[in-house]
Structure formats: structure tokens, C-alpha cells
């Protein structure tokens, strides 16, 4: 297989989490930048990262990067890249673009130049003057930042947060990638109870079930690169077989979601069923003041309603106060609350253990992390740890 330079894009604030996911998949050679992680892999890496990354948005092939302050420089730099190694003669290759702090500020003009340069390159390889573009889709992006042009090829298609299980949504839904990030930042594991008292369309409980059972989040969707000759079918088949083999659906889950809105609960149940975890999750219509999470050493992981988001700030503040009262009655539990308010610790009369800035769409939020005690180690775990110390 060939070594390929790849980019995993992500929302600001999630870079370190995506980098950790990549390392767990075995990709160590990487560079972390704002909103993206550049790493090296092969054709199988395209398949595996699209299937497995829970917090990234897209997997791009970095075709090339060069300085471009004139249209001639953009044309020649683009034409020098090996587009025919990826795009066949019948491939459809639309060009998207963006420009920031660059002399080439007209995005439509840059798109046209890049398209023309790629066509000229294709003419040289395929000895054709016209390309019908009736085959598989290859979305190209030209991104100009500080006069540096980056040319990429999108292997993902619709963003990775579109897992395929959520057919309906509630108002102001939480993206699946952000829900997964909240889970990965918590101490939750499938042996601990999890409760989301503002579950809305069920994103956090469903993502927790996928994580708890080690289900690849992209297993139920398709990707444009599945139709590319450069990424053979057998490689995609290998990646999908690996994903199915690693599912651990024999683990008992203790995941509950509740919401005051009955219609939201119906949407959540439908999402869980579509994701294949409907029988494992419990959903109930309950106002936050009346929730009674069961078990010890559990985690409340939630995205409460925002006044800015849903237009009722006083109700949002009241809900946060009520959640704080419930949490104070759960001495062994931990809580992870994503909110744009700066007043949560005031409402709860307790500072968080840690804070982390995250963005829910364009809304700047804080993930307030209240770490409770960890569960006591099981005798077998304690004995294993003692053996390790003695060796």
C-alpha cells in the first residue's frame, strides 16, 4: 500500500481528542494544528478512520500545499499534483474553496483556476479533451490561508457526525461528534451507570452505547471513497469486517435518558432503535427535578437547554439549579455539563474539578467537569495490580 498524507478535520477544541483516537487506531506520525490533525497512513487508514473516529468531521487526502499569491502560481502548483492517481477519466470532481488573509481572495475565481489546472493534468494522462464526469464523486477543496494554498480530496462526504441513525431531530440537537467528545472526556465506562436528564433526541445515550459496545460509529453509513478504484473494495471489506469483529455487545449497559418533552423521548427511542441499541437504553419522560438516577459511581453527562439557544433563559437557569440539587444527593456520582453559562458553579454552589472550552456549533460553551470518587477496584483487579507490582 502507499503512504498517504491525510487530514482529520474537527471542531476547535477537539484536536487533542481526535489525536488520541488516531493513536488508539495505531497512527502515531501526526501533527496537531487548529481544527485539524495531519497524519500518515495508507488506503486502509482511509477506511478505518472514516469508520472509527468518533470526534472528527472529515478525512481528507492532502494532495499538496504551496505558496500562491497569483493565479499563475495557483494554476501551476495545482497542475503539478498527481490528480490522475486518484481521479479516473470518468470521475466527477467539483471544486470547493475558501480564502482567508490571502491575496487571492476571490473564492469563485480560485475554484475556476483549480478546476482548469486539474483538467489540464487529466488531459495529459488520459489523452482526452473532454471529461463527462459521470462516475464516482471526488470533492476537491482549495483552501488559502496567509497565501498558502492547500489542496485536498474529501474521502468522507457528509460530515462524520452524520452516523446514519438519527432520522428525526429535536430543536437545537447536539452533534454526535460533540456528544462523543463529552463521553471521552469523562471517566465513564460501560460498567458505570450513565444518566442524561436533558437527552433531547438521545444523542448522548446512543453515543455512549456505541462507545460501550465498541461499535464503530461509521459502520452504518457509506462514504464516497468506497466507490474509488484507488481504494479497492477488498480494503473496505477488510475494515468493515474488523469493525464487526470488535463489537462487544455482550456487555450489560446501564444508560438512561430523560426529558420533559414526550416528543423528544419518542425521537430518542427511534434513534436508539435505528442504531441497534434500542433494547439496551432506557428513556423516560421526567422533569429534571424528579429524576432519581440508580446505582453508585455513575456519571451524569448532559447538554442542558440554553437560554440563548431556545429563548427561555429563566427556565434554563432553573433547570440548571434543579440539576445541581439532584447532583448533591448523589455523593458517589460524577457530572459533566456542557453549557454556555458562566454561572453554573454559582447555581451549584460548588466549583468544578476542571473546565474545558468547547463549541456547540457557533456557541462557545464550557464543559464543567465534576469528578466524583472512582469505583472501588474489584478483587481480581486489585490482585492483578499487586502481581504487576511484584514482577
Amino acid at each position: 500500500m502507499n503512504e498517504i498524507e491525510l487530514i482529520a478535520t474537527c471542531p476547535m477544541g477537539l484536536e487533542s481528542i481526535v489525536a488520541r483516537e488516531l493513536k488508539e487506531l495505531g497512527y502515531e506520525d501526526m501533527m496537531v494544528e487548529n481544527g485539524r490533525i495531519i497524519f500518515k497512513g495508507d488506503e486502509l487508514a482511509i477506511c478505518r478512520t472514516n469508520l472509527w473516529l468518533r470526534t472528527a468531521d472529515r478525512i481528507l487526502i492532502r494532495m499538496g500545499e504551496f505558496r500562491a499569491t497569483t493565479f499563475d502560481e495557483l494554476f501551476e502548483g495545482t497542475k503539478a499534483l498527481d490528480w490522475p492517481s486518484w481521479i479516473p477519466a470518468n470521475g466527477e470532481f467539483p471544486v470547493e474553496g475558501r480564502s482567508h488573509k490571502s491575496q487571492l481572495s476571490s473564492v469563485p475565481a480560485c475554484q475556476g483556476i483549480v478546476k482548469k489546472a486539474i483538467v489540464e493534468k487529466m488531459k495529459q494522462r488520459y489523452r482526452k479533451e473532454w471529461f463527462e464526469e459521470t462516475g464516482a464523486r471526488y470533492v476537491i477543496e482549495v483552501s488559502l490561508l496567509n497565501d498558502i494554498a492547500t489542496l485536498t480530496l474529501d474521502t468522507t462526504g457528509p460530515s462524520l457526525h452524520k452516523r446514519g441513525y438519527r432520522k428525526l431531530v429535536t430543536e437545537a440537537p447536539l452533534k454526535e461528534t460533540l456528544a462523543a467528545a463529552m463521553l471521552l472526556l469523562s471517566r465513564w465506562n460501560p460498567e458505570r451507570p450513565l444518566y442524561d436528564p436533558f437527552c433531547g433526541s438521545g444523542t448522548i445515550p446512543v453515543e455512549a452505547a456505541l462507545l460501550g459496545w465498541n461499535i464503530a460509529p461509521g459502520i452504518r453509513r457509506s462514504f464516497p471513497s468506497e466507490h474509488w478504484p484507488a481504494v479497492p473494495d477488498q480494503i473496505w471489506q477488510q475494515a468493515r469486517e474488523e469493525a464487526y469483529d470488535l463489537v462487544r455487545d455482550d456487555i450489560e449497559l446501564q444508560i438512561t435518558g430523560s426529558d420533559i418533552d414526550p416528543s423528544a423521548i419518542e425521537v430518542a427511542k427511534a434513534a436508539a432503535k435505528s442504531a441497534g441499541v434500542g433494547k439496551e437504553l432506557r428513556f423516560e419522560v421526567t422533569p429534571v427535578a424528579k429524576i432519581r438516577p440508580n446505582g453508585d459511581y455513575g456519571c451524569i453527562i448532559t447538554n442542558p437547554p440554553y437560554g440563548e439557544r431556545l429563548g427561555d433563559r429563566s427556565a434554563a437557569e432553573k433547570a440548571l439549579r434543579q440539576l445541581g440539587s439532584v447532583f448533591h444527593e448523589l455523593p458517589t456520582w460524577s457530572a459533566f455539563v456542557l453549557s454556555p453559562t458562566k454561572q453554573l458553579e454559582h447555581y451549584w454552589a460548588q466549583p468544578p474539578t476542571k473546565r474545558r472550552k468547547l463549541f456547540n456549533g457557533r456557541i462557545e460553551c464550557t464543559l464543567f467537569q465534576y469528578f466524583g470518587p472512582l469505583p472501588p477496584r474489584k478483587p481480581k483487579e486489585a490482585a492483578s495490580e499487586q502481581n504487576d507490582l511484584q514482577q
Side-chain angles (χ1 to χ4, degrees):
M1 293 188 184
N2 300 308
E3 184 176 78
I4 306 164
E5 197 165 50
L6 299 166
I7 301 173
T9 66
C10 66
M12 296 285 285
L14 300 189
E15 295 91 348
S16 64
I17 307 173
V18 176
R20 188 173 79 189
E21 287 194 86
L22 284 167
K23 286 181 181 178
E24 289 174 352
L25 287 173
Y27 305 108
E28 298 278 352
D29 188 0
M30 69 179 72
M31 181 168 56
V32 179
E33 299 181 351
N34 287 336
R36 66 180 193 172
I37 296 86
I38 302 168
F39 66 103
K40 292 181 180 178
D42 53 18
E43 290 85 353
L44 181 59
I46 292 173
C47 310
R48 295 182 73 234
T49 52
N50 272 304
L51 290 173
W52 280 103
L53 290 182
R54 299 179 190 275
T55 57
D57 282 338
R58 283 186 170 82
I59 304 300
L60 310 175
I61 298 168
R62 184 156 85 161
M63 296 295 297
E65 192 168 279
F66 51 87
R67 183 171 178 82
T69 57
T70 67
F71 287 132
D72 283 344
E73 289 177 338
L74 181 61
F75 180 90
E76 295 300 333
T78 301
K79 186 180 176 183
L81 302 177
D82 190 11
W83 298 101
S85 67
W86 289 99
I87 306 173
N90 68 339
E92 178 189 3
F93 50 105
V95 178
E96 299 178 353
R98 51 183 171 153
S99 178
H100 184 63
K101 296 182 179 179
S102 297
Q103 294 183 52
L104 297 179
S105 58
S106 172
V107 173
C110 291
Q111 290 172 263
I113 291 293
V114 167
K115 180 79 173 186
K116 183 179 178 181
I118 296 172
V119 167
E120 290 304 311
K121 184 73 171 190
M122 301 274 280
K123 285 181 180 179
Q124 291 178 353
R125 177 71 59 88
Y126 296 116
R127 307 298 180 187
K128 293 179 63 174
E129 290 298 316
W130 176 256
F131 298 93
E132 296 181 350
E133 300 192 42
T134 56
R137 187 172 172 85
Y138 301 78
V139 177
I140 296 156
E141 182 183 76
V142 51
S143 175
L144 287 145
L145 176 62
N146 296 323
D147 294 325
I148 300 298
T150 302
L151 278 296
T152 59
L153 197 55
D154 181 7
T155 74
T156 300
S159 173
L160 288 172
H161 84 268
K162 296 185 177 181
R163 316 288 205 217
Y165 63 74
R166 192 162 67 176
K167 309 301 181 186
L168 304 170
V169 295
T170 55
E171 190 174 359
L174 181 72
K175 278 189 178 181
E176 293 84 341
T177 43
L178 184 53
M182 293 171 65
L183 290 159
L184 292 173
L185 288 168
S186 76
R187 288 174 168 176
W188 180 78
N189 64 59
E191 294 184 354
R192 302 178 68 175
L194 185 150
Y195 199 109
D196 179 2
F198 303 101
C199 72
S201 55
T203 308
I204 290 175
V206 172
E207 288 296 315
L210 297 181
L211 180 62
W213 275 4
N214 201 41
I215 297 173
I219 199 70
R220 293 176 175 268
R221 57 163 286 178
S222 61
F223 305 91
S225 47
E226 290 184 78
H227 307 289
W228 296 1
V231 188
D233 290 343
Q234 60 266 30
I235 296 179
W236 273 103
Q237 184 178 352
Q238 177 185 344
R240 288 189 179 275
E241 287 177 354
E242 175 194 43
Y244 282 117
D245 288 343
L246 292 173
V247 172
R248 300 178 301 182
D249 57 3
D250 56 340
I251 297 174
E252 183 179 353
L253 301 175
Q254 308 167 70
I255 300 172
T256 304
S258 65
D259 201 283
I260 197 172
D261 182 1
S263 62
I265 293 300
E266 292 306 310
V267 172
K269 288 179 178 178
K273 182 178 179 181
S274 179
V277 294
K279 295 181 180 179
E280 309 305 317
L281 306 186
R282 179 183 175 188
F283 291 104
E284 54 191 26
V285 180
T286 309
V288 63
K290 295 185 178 180
I291 66 168
R292 295 296 180 266
N294 294 320
D296 296 320
Y297 304 101
C299 294
I300 291 173
I301 304 178
T302 193
N303 174 224
Y306 309 164
E308 295 90 339
R309 186 179 61 171
L310 296 178
D312 191 345
R313 183 169 297 181
S314 62
E317 291 176 356
K318 182 180 178 180
L320 286 175
R321 292 179 188 274
Q322 291 172 333
L323 179 58
S325 297
V326 171
F327 180 59
H328 285 304
E329 298 298 318
L330 300 168
T332 67
W333 280 57
S334 301
F336 304 87
V337 182
L338 184 70
S339 176
T341 183
K342 306 298 182 184
Q343 302 298 316
L344 186 132
E345 59 187 279
H346 170 70
Y347 300 150
W348 286 31
Q350 179 182 354
T353 311
K354 293 177 68 176
R355 299 176 184 84
R356 186 177 182 121
K357 183 168 74 173
L358 297 174
F359 287 87
N360 188 0
R362 294 173 179 251
I363 302 174
E364 181 179 327
C365 297
T366 300
L367 180 64
F368 295 90
Q369 303 172 70
Y370 289 85
F371 292 112
L374 289 171
R377 294 195 304 273
K378 296 178 181 179
K380 183 182 292 186
E381 292 174 348
S384 175
E385 184 174 314
Q386 185 62 32
N387 289 336
D388 290 341
L389 290 172
Q390 293 174 352
Q391 291 176 357

